[in-house]
Amino acid sequence: MPPPVDPVPGGRPGDLARAHALAHELSAQGVRGIVLAYVDTAGICRVKTVPWQRLQPAVAWGVGMSPVFDTFLANDAIVRTDALGSPDGDLRLYPDLDRLVVLAGQPGWAWAPVDRITQEGDRHPACSRTFLRRIVAGAEDRHGLTFKAGIEVEWAVGRAAAPADEFAPATSGPAYGATRQVELSDYAADLLTAFEKQDVPVAQLHPEYAPGQFEVSTDALDPVAAADQSVLVRQTIRAVSHRHGLRASFAPAVAERGVGNGGHIHLSAWRDGVNLHAGGDGRYGMTGEAESFVAGLLTHLPALTAVTAPSPASYLRLKPSQWAGVFTAWGRETRETGIRIVTGTAGHQRQDANLEIKPVDLAANPYLALGCAIAAGLDGLTSAAPLPEEVADDPARLIPDEAVARGVRRLPASLPQAVEAFREDEVLRTALGPILADAVIAVREGETAAVAGLDDAGVAAAYRWKY
Ligand code: GLU
Ligand code: MG
């Protein structure tokens, strides 16, 4: 699939004829409307929809939507930055035809991610999808690198009928238990059917650890497609859950205590079709560049947390010994370090080797999270940063002195701490550009203010059904 490029007012060559034909095909398949989706700075997926007859005009001239959503909070309050948050102005949403799918879980609907450009036809500096595309293109131009990425999706399945927006797990079986799989058998089969119809390549779907929790993982794709896929996967899970009288929560913490929902990022860097994470003479087969990429991620991980764990509820999840990876450390298949090295099995390492970034949840805007993660890794790669010693087992067991000596730091324990680290991180702020970086800070500060005075249970409740 060709890499997505910027939309052009009036449509790119060939787009209009393609949109016209596609719209009629969609209509013949029973599609009545198309969901145009993007993710805001707070991590909420915002949409507009158009009837199928309007697909072609949307591809030509976009669909209007205010830029104010760039500084919306999860509770729909609005904060301001120098450039964003005003009630004035308009943007054009351009559906990406290469990613348009008919939604199997929502009869009558198709879905497409959008790029947002200005009325003058320029890139909108706060469009997170455009940002990720820019980072990916820059990595290719400057370093000859491409990436494969995948975002795991964990969610808690609750009963829709639970009173007062509480979470009532839809299954009571044990973690990874066959009981859960049986109890939600029809639901899980309907999910697999929907994914298959939508060409989402599912690798695994299984019951997870926390009450009512499930997980789905999908094959790695180029980063923009991986972020799109993560949004589509959640739209699908929400829809199928709804049809089964269930409710899906992707919130980092459905309850104030216990294991939360992660959205781990898997990432690998490639040059000329060769995986840099395998076949090298570094540790576990990493090339020198892959080691430095990991080192860059570790250096920037505290600041990155403001992007990958953007909600006050993220910090109910980001606790030691809950497999959320809250330390600036790496290890092979270690589930408590911020970065887990995945080598793949013997014989399949060149295809499969990658790294997993664990302190990521599904409140994160996946485009911002992937773009910032790549920028962090590239900073290490460019400066040939040395990778510290591996940490095996749970870093929480290192007594403080030993952790300090080994450069192992606890990641921010609150959103304000993460914002502080982010403010000081020139690499991430520069990668995002001042308008997006200011939006990240303002939105995180807004979320922090929105939960002032709430206890942990109140924070969990405030975000339980938002993402
Ligand atoms: N649920 C854990 C988290 O919050 C992750 C469990 C796992 O490693 O899959 O990140
Ligand atoms: Mg998991």
Side-chain angles (χ1 to χ4, degrees), residues 194-219:
F195 289 135
E196 188 183 338
K197 286 188 176 157
Q198 294 172 186
D199 285 330
V200 173
V202 170
Q204 296 182 20
L205 190 150
H206 61 86
E208 247 286 354
Y209 185 88
Q213 194 179 38
F214 273 69
E215 172 170 340
V216 65
S217 49
T218 51
D219 290 352

Side-chain angles (χ1 to χ4, degrees), residues 155-157 167 169-171 173 180 208-213 259:
W155 78 101
V157 191
F167 172 65
T171 168
R180 281 192 198 186
E208 247 286 354
Y209 185 88
Q213 194 179 38
V259 168

